[in-house]
Amino acid sequence: PQFYPVAIDYWPEGKAFLVGGYHDGTILALGTGGAVHDGSFIGRHADGRKRALRLKVDAARARLWVLDTEALYVYALPQRSLLARIALPPLTPTAAACLPDLTLDPAGAAYVSDNRRPVLYRVDEASLQMRVLTVRFPDAAAPPGGFSALLYLE
């Protein structure tokens, strides 16, 4: 299959956009002018990843967080070396469910939405341990299952 981009984030130190692919998990680095830098940044199916659904660059800690359907992968930048693979409950996209999302807080902790249940998975930036946070929506605002888009606001 062709490269199908579904995720993007900017990496200031590399002066590049990192773009994640749906079909095989390839991550490309694009210059600010749009040109691909030297092929893939992190190759297809690297470290067991099937997809790169969401990407977040943590410039302060020189990390790249990559969300797959079964795990969250943490890479050291610029080395591109895997620091951790954190298993998640299955987040497989279906026709009835949107893709999960990933965001970081200012301290570097990662949050992943669940596209089937109203929970967030929080991964501590230091220990890389995950815990489940139950989201309690007001009755009128409760989604029928999980949710997708996340944005951390201070």
Side-chain angles (χ1 to χ4, degrees):
Q2 290 185 310
F3 182 76
Y4 185 78
V6 292
I8 187 169
D9 203 7
Y10 185 71
W11 177 32
E13 183 182 319
K15 295 181 175 70
F17 291 98
L18 300 180
V19 181
Y22 180 83
H23 291 298
D24 63 7
T26 296
I27 298 171
L28 301 178
L30 304 178
T32 55
V36 175
H37 290 204
D38 303 323
S40 61
F41 184 75
I42 299 176
R44 54 187 298 216
H45 303 297
D47 304 306
R49 278 185 301 102
K50 296 175 186 155
R51 300 181 181 351
L53 298 176
R54 301 288 187 241
L55 305 176
K56 288 294 176 188
V57 172
D58 182 353
R61 283 157 281 284
R63 290 181 173 176
L64 172 64
W65 297 76
V66 181
L67 180 62
D68 189 3
T69 54
E70 298 172 349
L72 187 59
Y73 293 78
V74 186
Y75 291 91
L77 290 173
Q79 302 87 348
R80 308 174 203 178
S81 58
L82 182 66
L83 297 174
R85 179 189 184 277
I86 299 121
L88 296 170
L91 301 170
T92 306
T94 67
C98 52
L99 292 174
D101 204 3
L102 165 67
T103 195
L104 304 176
D105 70 18
Y111 295 82
V112 176
S113 64
D114 188 308
N115 59 347
R116 298 181 188 275
R117 301 180 305 140
V119 298
L120 290 174
Y121 304 102
R122 183 190 186 277
V123 178
D124 182 77
E125 70 283 355
S127 69
L128 299 176
Q129 296 297 308
M130 180 190 68
R131 67 183 179 136
V132 179
L133 306 173
T134 300
V135 178
R136 291 176 181 82
F137 292 101
D139 289 339
F147 56 100
S148 179
L150 293 176
L151 176 66
Y152 186 89
L153 300 173
E154 288 189 76

